[in-house]
Amino acid sequence: MSALSSQEPSPKRRIGAEKSETRALIVDVTEQVIREEGYAAASTRRVALRAGLNPSLVHYYFPSTDDLLLAVFERGAAQSDAMIAAALASNEPVRALWQFFRDDSRTALSVEFIALAIRRPAIREQISAHASAMRAQQIALFERVLGERLAQATGCSPAGLSVILAGVGRALFMEAALGVTSGHDEAIQCVEKWLDALIPSP
Amino acid sequence: MSALSSQEPSPKRRIGAEKSETRALIVDVTEQVIREEGYAAASTRRVALRAGLNPSLVHYYFPSTDDLLLAVFERGAAQSDAMIAAALASNEPVRALWQFFRDDSRTALSVEFIALAIRRPAIREQISAHASAMRAQQIALFERVLGERLAQATGCSPAGLSVILAGVGRALFMEAALGVTSGHDEAIQCVEKWLDALIPSP
């Protein structure tokens, strides 16, 4: 790795060879900075310092701070997509999706990206496009798996259920990150009662 | 206001007189900085610069950045408390509370404070104490107004309903701030159907 901290980017031929490794290191360090200090701390200069790289090398891969932040978002979105795809492919996709919504492993990062998206249009577009695509996929699943039973049992449409499950799941992990858990067990019981009524036990 | 930008805090006697006005100006400007640039930008130095005040005067009122951020949080929390008190005192407290959860006027600020609370313990304690107190108040309301009907109609406890309504309301405004609104109308219809079933029309 010592070549990476040299004053100038390596010659073209070597950059090609090192590209994925250096790029991945930069994205790793940026994610760490966002988690520990917040998105506002994630400048190319700060990331270069923490990664022990020359700022010009970070700039070579990520010309702007938005490029850097987007790379972290895109890697996280790809991880979410893979988790959702696994949930959708499981024997109990609706319950698996609900577990995914309740997952708290990415909380701090998600909140940072929402805060960031509210302020920066370039980031907002990517985040909202990704969120809309995920929602469309979930609505299609609820239509396919729950069908008519959903409206009969709850009075909710597939689209409404999708917003409700995502919202309740997100509330559980955002509040837990703040140390607020009052009512959480009861909300989970309540959602699971609906799901039990909707989905015959296997 | 020109006296406020002098090199040193005014003599004791004058500070007492100007206290609330200067303090309120500092809190206003800090809130503006958080809304426009994020919480990480809200240093006493930056706030002093934007308010046209000497940094030592800002330090006089708010010795640390945490003190400054907490003052903004506390003012916002007092506004929320007043809105909730008005909802609870209305003829239709449950519906009024649901409207409050859906209110989007404080979105950008709430998300900043959640992001901040995840990282800073001093802020987290205040935010979680406030959130827990609000929840306890709402649970008591649901018990009083909905009573037995709630469990019979939905299978949910008052505590569970409180988390669900808050979570869905927050999802609606957080997603709308990102430009994602798919499924929102349906989720609102779904919640309002439950409320119609729970609360006799006036």
Side-chain angles (χ1 to χ4, degrees):
Chain A
M1 285 286 209
S2 59
L4 300 179
S5 36
S6 64
Q7 195 60 27
E8 294 297 321
S10 316
K12 282 254 144 115
R13 198 176 49 83
R14 298 209 44 213
I15 282 183
E18 291 178 339
K19 183 169 174 166
S20 56
E21 192 185 325
T22 307
R23 198 183 182 282
L25 170 69
I26 295 170
V27 176
D28 278 345
V29 170
T30 306
E31 180 171 321
Q32 224 174 307
V33 170
I34 297 174
R35 284 185 187 274
E36 290 170 20
E37 302 170 60
Y39 67 80
S43 63
T44 45
R45 215 170 127 246
R46 177 82 138 248
V47 167
L49 191 72
R50 268 188 69 162
L53 299 175
N54 190 288
S56 64
L57 186 59
V58 176
H59 272 290
Y60 175 86
Y61 289 111
F62 301 100
S64 74
T65 301
D66 274 356
D67 294 325
L68 198 55
L69 293 165
L70 269 177
V72 176
F73 171 74
E74 279 163 10
R75 196 174 61 175
Q79 287 164 357
S80 296
D81 287 345
M83 289 162 80
I84 289 181
L88 299 187
S90 76
N91 285 336
E92 297 210 67
V94 177
R95 288 182 207 274
L97 204 54
W98 164 238
Q99 287 303 322
F100 169 77
F101 289 140
R102 287 178 54 192
D103 172 48
D104 62 0
S105 61
R106 298 179 49 77
T107 310
L109 213 56
S110 306
V111 176
E112 285 293 334
F113 274 105
I114 293 172
L116 180 60
I118 289 173
R119 215 173 329 280
R120 297 219 206 174
I123 306 274
R124 179 163 59 237
E125 268 172 45
Q126 307 272 333
I127 293 185
S128 68
H130 182 251
S132 297
M134 287 204 305
R135 171 134 312 141
Q137 199 181 18
Q138 290 158 21
I139 293 173
L141 169 78
F142 292 149
E143 276 166 358
R144 181 168 60 79
V145 174
L146 305 175
E148 283 304 299
R149 260 174 309 169
L150 178 61
Q152 286 160 8
T154 65
C156 283
S157 66
L161 183 70
S162 163
V163 173
I164 289 167
L165 291 185
V168 175
R170 203 188 289 127
L172 294 172
F173 66 62
M174 278 175 56
E175 291 186 1
L178 295 183
V180 176
T181 55
S182 148
H184 284 203
D185 287 346
E186 292 89 338
I188 292 168
Q189 276 172 27
C190 182
V191 170
E192 293 187 345
K193 257 189 216 174
W194 298 338
L195 297 184
D196 287 343
L198 284 169
I199 308 161
S201 293
Chain B
M1 283 289 209
S2 60
L4 301 180
S5 36
S6 63
Q7 195 59 29
E8 294 298 321
S10 318
K12 282 253 144 105
R13 194 177 52 82
R14 299 209 43 214
I15 281 182
E18 291 178 340
K19 180 168 175 167
S20 56
E21 193 184 324
T22 307
R23 197 183 183 283
L25 170 68
I26 295 171
V27 176
D28 279 346
V29 170
T30 306
E31 180 171 322
Q32 223 172 309
V33 170
I34 297 174
R35 282 185 189 276
E36 290 171 20
E37 302 170 60
Y39 67 82
S43 63
T44 46
R45 217 172 126 243
R46 176 79 139 251
V47 167
L49 191 72
R50 268 188 69 162
L53 299 175
N54 191 290
S56 64
L57 187 61
V58 176
H59 271 290
Y60 175 87
Y61 289 111
F62 303 101
S64 73
T65 302
D66 273 357
D67 294 326
L68 199 54
L69 293 165
L70 269 177
V72 176
F73 171 73
E74 279 162 9
R75 196 175 61 174
Q79 287 163 357
S80 295
D81 287 345
M83 290 163 78
I84 289 181
L88 299 188
S90 77
N91 286 335
E92 298 210 66
V94 177
R95 286 182 208 274
L97 203 55
W98 164 237
Q99 287 303 322
F100 168 77
F101 289 140
R102 285 178 54 194
D103 172 48
D104 62 0
S105 62
R106 299 179 48 78
T107 310
L109 214 55
S110 308
V111 175
E112 285 293 333
F113 275 104
I114 293 172
L116 181 59
I118 289 173
R119 213 173 331 280
R120 297 220 206 173
I123 307 274
R124 179 165 58 237
E125 269 172 43
Q126 307 272 334
I127 293 184
S128 67
H130 182 251
S132 295
M134 288 204 304
R135 172 138 307 143
Q137 199 182 18
Q138 291 158 20
I139 293 173
L141 169 79
F142 292 150
E143 275 166 358
R144 179 168 60 78
V145 174
L146 304 175
E148 283 303 300
R149 261 174 310 169
L150 178 61
Q152 286 160 9
T154 65
C156 283
S157 66
L161 182 70
S162 164
V163 174
I164 289 168
L165 291 186
V168 176
R170 202 188 290 125
L172 293 172
F173 67 60
M174 277 175 57
E175 290 187 1
L178 295 183
V180 176
T181 56
S182 149
H184 284 204
D185 287 346
E186 291 90 338
I188 291 168
Q189 277 172 28
C190 183
V191 170
E192 294 188 344
K193 259 189 213 174
W194 298 337
L195 296 184
D196 288 343
L198 285 169
I199 309 161
S201 292

